[in-house]
Amino acid sequence: MSDKIVRAISADGFVKAAAVSTRDLTERARNIHRTLPVATAALGRALAAASMMGNALKSDGASVTLQFKGGGPLGTVLAVSDNEGNVRGTVDHPATDLPLRADGKLDVGSAVGHEGTLTVIRDLNMKEPYVGSVGLMGGEIAEDLAAYFVESEQIPTACGLGVLVDRDQSVKAAGGYLIQLLPGAGEGTISKVEGSLMAAGAVTALMEKYPNPADMLRVALPDFELEFLEESPVEYRCTCSRERMERALISMGAAELRSLIDEQGGAELTCRFCDRVQTFTKAELEELLTSAKR
């Protein structure tokens, strides 16, 4: 089954929900960045969360960036989504390897770190992007996102994210859900959501059994009649291009570009999201230098 995202609302209008399956795109990220399992899990969770948040933006060209800086051995975990839910991401130290937790699960919290921040950047194509930041709760990604929504946007939120890594280190299942209460929801609704999610169990087990995100939502919220509003495919999509890299070189300024030409006689730039390499000859850099001087 190809990766896709679904959005739904409860019949009573008090709960909205999104769920996404991201096995293929997480596997692509693993292959691009050559991540070991704990890095695969952290990056995969961040990509799933970014996809659901990005897909909620309906403005063409809008984007969401999630940046986790927890002080752990992974370094920064970064995920970016466009307004359709297509994502790209990276992690500073993809070869990080940690012992499993006592319960046999990957120790994402320790890998990300507990002392740091989650920064959310929403670019809605206005003059300035919206930037919000909260302290990390534990580095497990999902609980940090839920805390962000409560603290920064005052939206009661339940977030479940998971990546199931197979014995050969490939991605067996990945995805998650984002469930939020709408204005007017009372304590009864809150209790029903909490009880339903507790009964549903771990999100990785849900995804493995119900790879269709709509089915996963139905199982996660059995006490609610859900109206599904939309379903759309998502993928790992990098937006890098030679033109973007040319602009990056020009933005260095004439002095730094001149130094690059004199010292190296050329340049190779690698996209941090997809590892695509663009090579620039000395003559091409000279042309860019002319542009930088204008």
Side-chain angles (χ1 to χ4, degrees), residues 266-281:
E268 274 193 355
L269 299 187
T270 302
C271 174
R272 62 175 172 165
F273 292 116
C274 70
D275 281 352
R276 185 178 295 136
V277 177
Q278 295 283 356
T279 302
F280 295 85
T281 65

Side-chain angles (χ1 to χ4, degrees), residues 88-109:
R88 59 192 186 276
T90 186
V91 56
D92 283 349
H93 303 295
T96 297
D97 190 18
L98 293 179
L100 297 176
R101 297 186 331 200
D103 59 5
K105 296 183 178 180
L106 294 167
D107 196 354
V108 173

Side-chain angles (χ1 to χ4, degrees), residues 252 254-267 281-283 285-286 289 293:
M252 292 170 58
E256 287 194 37
L257 199 50
R258 179 77 263 172
S259 176
L260 183 63
I261 294 169
D262 293 341
E263 294 177 10
Q264 299 185 27
T281 65
K282 182 177 181 179
L285 291 181
E286 293 282 5
L289 177 60
K293 290 179 177 178

Side-chain angles (χ1 to χ4, degrees), residues 1 45 81 216 271:
M1 177 180 292
R45 293 179 190 183
S81 175
M216 181 168 62
C271 174

Side-chain angles (χ1 to χ4, degrees), residues 112-183:
V112 173
H114 315 296
E115 301 296 330
T117 58
L118 159 61
T119 300
V120 177
I121 304 169
R122 281 191 175 90
D123 188 345
L124 304 178
N125 292 319
M126 304 181 75
K127 288 185 177 180
E128 296 291 337
Y130 169 80
V131 180
S133 184
V134 296
L136 292 179
M137 297 287 290
E140 291 284 342
I141 308 295
E143 63 185 26
D144 300 309
L145 256 297
Y148 162 79
F149 277 108
V150 172
E151 293 181 28
S152 292
E153 302 188 10
Q154 290 76 54
I155 302 175
T157 300
C159 182
L161 302 167
V163 175
L164 186 60
V165 178
D166 216 338
R167 292 185 178 183
D168 63 358
Q169 298 190 357
S170 66
V171 178
K172 190 174 183 180
Y177 56 73
L178 194 63
I179 298 168
Q180 297 180 314
L181 299 183
L182 295 172

Side-chain angles (χ1 to χ4, degrees), residues 7-213:
R7 309 198 77 84
I9 190 168
S10 62
D12 60 13
F14 292 142
V15 179
K16 69 175 181 178
V20 65
S21 57
T22 56
R23 185 266 166 200
D24 291 349
L25 69 85
T26 305
E27 176 66 6
R28 186 174 179 205
R30 181 185 78 88
N31 287 320
I32 289 171
H33 300 296
R34 301 177 181 86
T35 51
L36 291 183
V38 73
T40 301
L43 181 56
R45 293 179 190 183
L47 290 171
S51 179
M52 290 186 285
M53 293 174 67
N55 180 263
L57 304 176
K58 299 309 174 185
S59 173
D60 288 342
S63 66
V64 169
T65 299
L66 304 181
Q67 180 179 267
F68 296 85
K69 287 188 174 183
L74 284 179
T76 298
V77 179
L78 185 70
V80 184
S81 175
D82 64 20
N83 66 297
E84 295 178 342
N86 301 304
V87 290
R88 59 192 186 276
T90 186
V91 56
D92 283 349
H93 303 295
T96 297
D97 190 18
L98 293 179
L100 297 176
R101 297 186 331 200
D103 59 5
K105 296 183 178 180
L106 294 167
D107 196 354
V108 173
S110 294
V112 173
H114 315 296
E115 301 296 330
T117 58
L118 159 61
T119 300
V120 177
I121 304 169
R122 281 191 175 90
D123 188 345
L124 304 178
N125 292 319
M126 304 181 75
K127 288 185 177 180
E128 296 291 337
Y130 169 80
V131 180
S133 184
V134 296
L136 292 179
M137 297 287 290
E140 291 284 342
I141 308 295
E143 63 185 26
D144 300 309
L145 256 297
Y148 162 79
F149 277 108
V150 172
E151 293 181 28
S152 292
E153 302 188 10
Q154 290 76 54
I155 302 175
T157 300
C159 182
L161 302 167
V163 175
L164 186 60
V165 178
D166 216 338
R167 292 185 178 183
D168 63 358
Q169 298 190 357
S170 66
V171 178
K172 190 174 183 180
Y177 56 73
L178 194 63
I179 298 168
Q180 297 180 314
L181 299 183
L182 295 172
E187 290 298 325
T189 301
I190 295 172
S191 297
K192 281 173 63 178
V193 170
E194 290 177 343
S196 296
L197 295 180
M198 186 173 296
V203 69
T204 47
L206 275 179
M207 291 183 305
E208 188 175 17
K209 191 172 182 179
Y210 305 100
N212 185 322

